[in-house]
């Protein structure tokens, strides 16, 4: 996950062989990971120009277009993947995702079924099929799909979100909340390691989850996790100030929890309250000096305050603690460029 170094290596490979389609494809994947959409699409298109028979690059481009809500374009792209290789199950899955987002749920289910004929053990496809079955109110069949998805992959937060939503619509709030708890536990612990094709949890799912955390009492110490989860959902729904209130409720119960201080600081970052965010990150580091995310997030706050050297020191500390945490490396690169540009200006 050292994306800057990966980009340099792919650039070197393309200097040696400018007609190497897989290098463009792989570099496009890196650009997509770090949010450089235009460059990613350019590289995918170049790879396709050089090798129009590779279904994998069409799928990569399709996933990026889905993340941009460009579903009609994504369908045209994935149809070319199916034409290039009719046995590639991922192509049918991705077309199903497009149709689902266009609210063509029954057609989506058909494509998910075709995908499963080729990739019988794909947890994500069972999860997506469960989502579509849920929309057409086939709740029992939907729950079976989520159960199969969890059996195949118990580490994907989106699967638990999906099952929680299905249970909330068909059963009771308490059971649904348990699945949302599992989803949020995974997501908070692995926010930097989510699969790009499963991390886009819809606002509808988040709002349904949020309902399950209503009317919580702050008198019970066991509720700290509930307040944390409610705060996390609010932050994802771009309600940062409300998220801070929930994190304060959780901290009133568990004041020495490093993760809670880090999450509160992240909400304050969204509010552009950088000084108070730094104070939260300092508390997170105090209670867990190995919290690499707190160092990285403190780096972001210092970066926003244009304290470039201090920010770079925080990013470096985070990287030393966790060499596979990509956010710190990406932000450090941006910070160094901004620092150098500011020096040039003056």
């Amino acid at each position: 996950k050292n994306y800057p170094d990966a980009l340099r290596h792919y650039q070197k490979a393309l200097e040696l062989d400018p007609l190497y389609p897989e290098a463009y494809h792989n570099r496009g994947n890196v650009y997509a990971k770090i949010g450089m959409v235009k460059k990613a699409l350019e590289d995918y298109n170049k790879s396709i120009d050089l090798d129009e028979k590779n279904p994998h690059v069409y799928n990569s481009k399709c996933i990026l277009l889905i993340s941009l809500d460009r579903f009609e374009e994504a369908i045209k792209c994935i149809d070319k993947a199916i034409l290039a290789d009719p046995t590639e199950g991922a192509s049918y899955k991705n077309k199903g995702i497009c149709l689902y987002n266009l609210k063509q749920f029954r057609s989506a289910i058909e494509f998910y079924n075709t995908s499963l004929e080729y990739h019988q053990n794909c947890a994500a496809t069972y999860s997506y099929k469960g989502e579509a079955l849920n929309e057409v109110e086939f709740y029992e069949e939907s729950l079976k799909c989520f159960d199969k998805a969890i059996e195949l992959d118990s580490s994907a937060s989106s699967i638990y979100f999906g099952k929680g939503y299905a249970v909330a619509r068909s059963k009771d709030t308490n059971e649904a909340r348990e699945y949302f708890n599992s989803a949020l536990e995974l997501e908070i612990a692995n926010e930097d390691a989510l699969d790009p094709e499963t991390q886009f949890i819809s606002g509808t799912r988040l709002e349904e989850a949020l309902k399950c955390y209503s009317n919580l009492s702050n008198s019970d110490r066991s509720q700290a996790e509930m307040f944390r989860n409610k705060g996390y959902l609010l932050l994802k729904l771009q309600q940062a100030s409300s998220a801070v209130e929930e994190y304060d409720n959780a901290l009133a119960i568990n004041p020495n929890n490093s993760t809670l201080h880090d999450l509160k600081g992240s909400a304050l970052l969204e509010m552009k309250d950088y000084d108070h965010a730094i104070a939260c990150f300092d508390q997170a580091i105090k209670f867990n000096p190995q919290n690499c995310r707190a160092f990285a997030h403190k780096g972001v706050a210092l970066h926003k305050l244009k304290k470039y050297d201090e920010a770079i020191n925080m990013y470096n500390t985070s990287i030393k603690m966790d060499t596979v945490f990509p956010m710190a490396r990406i932000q450090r690169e941006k910070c160094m460029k901004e620092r150098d540009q500011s020096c040039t200006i003056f």
Side-chain angles (χ1 to χ4, degrees):
K1 294 184 180 179
N2 186 343
Y3 299 131
D5 278 356
L7 288 173
R8 282 190 281 270
H9 284 297
Y10 288 128
Q11 181 60 36
K12 183 65 175 176
L14 288 167
E15 288 171 5
L16 294 170
D17 183 357
L19 300 179
Y20 186 16
E22 200 57 35
Y24 285 106
H25 179 196
N26 291 334
R27 190 174 69 173
N29 288 339
V30 176
Y31 281 136
K33 283 270 191 182
I34 62 178
M36 299 181 71
V37 172
K38 184 177 179 181
K39 285 184 175 293
L41 290 172
E42 287 173 355
D43 273 1
Y44 290 148
N45 289 336
K46 182 66 175 177
S47 180
I48 290 167
D49 288 342
L50 293 168
D51 181 8
E52 62 183 16
K53 297 297 185 182
N54 182 354
H56 304 297
V57 66
Y58 289 113
N59 275 284
S60 295
K61 182 180 176 182
C62 176
I63 290 168
L64 180 56
L65 291 169
I66 288 170
S67 76
L68 300 170
D69 294 341
R70 291 160 61 175
F71 304 116
E72 289 86 357
E73 286 180 71
I75 286 175
K76 291 178 182 177
C77 179
I78 212 63
D79 282 344
K80 293 178 182 177
I82 293 170
L83 187 63
D85 184 357
T87 67
E88 176 52 59
S91 302
Y92 299 100
K93 175 189 68 178
N94 288 329
K95 184 162 184 178
I97 294 170
C98 295
L99 292 166
Y100 174 91
N101 280 282
L102 293 170
K103 301 189 183 306
Q104 298 177 35
F105 303 121
R106 294 180 185 275
S107 295
I109 291 167
E110 291 177 10
F111 276 92
Y112 294 142
N113 285 336
T114 303
S115 178
L116 288 167
E117 290 176 11
Y118 295 105
H119 290 171
Q120 297 177 5
N121 294 323
C122 181
T125 307
Y126 279 105
S127 179
Y128 291 133
K129 182 181 175 182
E131 296 271 8
L133 287 165
N134 196 16
E135 293 295 338
V136 295
E137 300 184 355
F138 288 2
Y139 297 126
E140 291 303 316
E141 292 87 341
S142 171
L143 292 172
K144 289 177 184 177
C145 281
F146 287 119
D147 285 340
K148 182 64 175 178
I150 292 169
E151 176 189 326
L152 291 168
D153 182 4
S154 60
S155 66
S157 63
S158 59
I159 297 174
Y160 291 96
F161 264 115
K163 181 156 188 184
Y165 184 66
V167 170
R169 292 185 68 180
S170 64
K171 294 185 179 180
D172 65 273
T173 297
N174 288 332
E175 184 181 350
R177 189 165 63 201
E178 290 306 308
Y179 287 106
F180 290 133
N181 281 342
S182 296
L184 292 165
E185 193 70 40
L186 288 165
E187 190 155 328
I188 291 168
N190 302 294
E191 62 177 336
D192 60 302
L194 298 178
D195 184 335
E197 69 178 25
T198 61
Q199 68 178 320
F200 305 106
I201 308 300
S202 71
T204 303
R205 301 295 185 267
L206 296 171
E207 288 165 4
E208 187 67 37
L210 190 59
K211 291 177 186 176
C212 292
Y213 292 93
S214 299
N215 305 317
L216 297 176
S217 168
N218 62 7
S219 62
D220 185 350
R221 291 186 63 84
S222 68
Q223 295 298 305
E225 181 185 84
M226 300 298 189
F227 286 122
R228 181 202 66 185
N229 289 348
K230 188 176 180 183
Y232 190 79
L233 289 166
L234 287 162
L235 185 57
K236 288 189 75 95
L237 287 165
Q238 300 181 331
Q239 299 178 41
S241 60
S242 296
V244 169
E245 292 178 11
E246 298 303 331
Y247 291 139
D248 281 337
N249 287 334
L251 285 164
I253 299 168
N254 193 353
N256 298 335
N257 186 288
S258 177
T259 299
L260 287 173
H261 285 288
D262 183 40
L263 288 169
K264 180 182 175 182
S266 297
L268 290 165
L269 270 180
E270 290 295 315
M271 296 168 65
K272 297 181 169 55
D273 188 350
Y274 302 125
D275 289 324
H276 284 106
I278 288 170
C280 285
F281 298 135
D282 284 339
Q283 287 294 99
I285 293 164
K286 173 185 172 183
F287 293 118
N288 179 9
Q290 300 302 311
N291 188 337
C292 68
R293 288 172 175 77
F295 282 102
H297 294 153
K298 183 178 178 181
V300 173
L302 290 164
H303 184 171
K304 294 292 186 181
L305 294 170
K306 302 188 186 302
K307 296 180 178 180
Y308 299 120
D309 290 334
E310 293 180 58
I312 290 166
N313 285 337
M314 290 297 110
Y315 294 139
N316 285 338
T317 302
S318 177
I319 291 164
K320 287 177 183 176
M321 290 179 176
D322 187 345
T323 57
V324 299
F325 183 41
M327 188 272 271
R329 292 182 183 277
I330 295 166
Q331 292 298 327
R332 182 180 65 176
E333 289 278 316
K334 292 180 180 177
C335 188
M336 292 171 72
K337 286 181 181 178
E338 285 186 31
R339 180 191 62 181
D340 293 345
Q341 288 170 356
S342 68
C343 291
T344 303
I345 292 170
F346 292 106

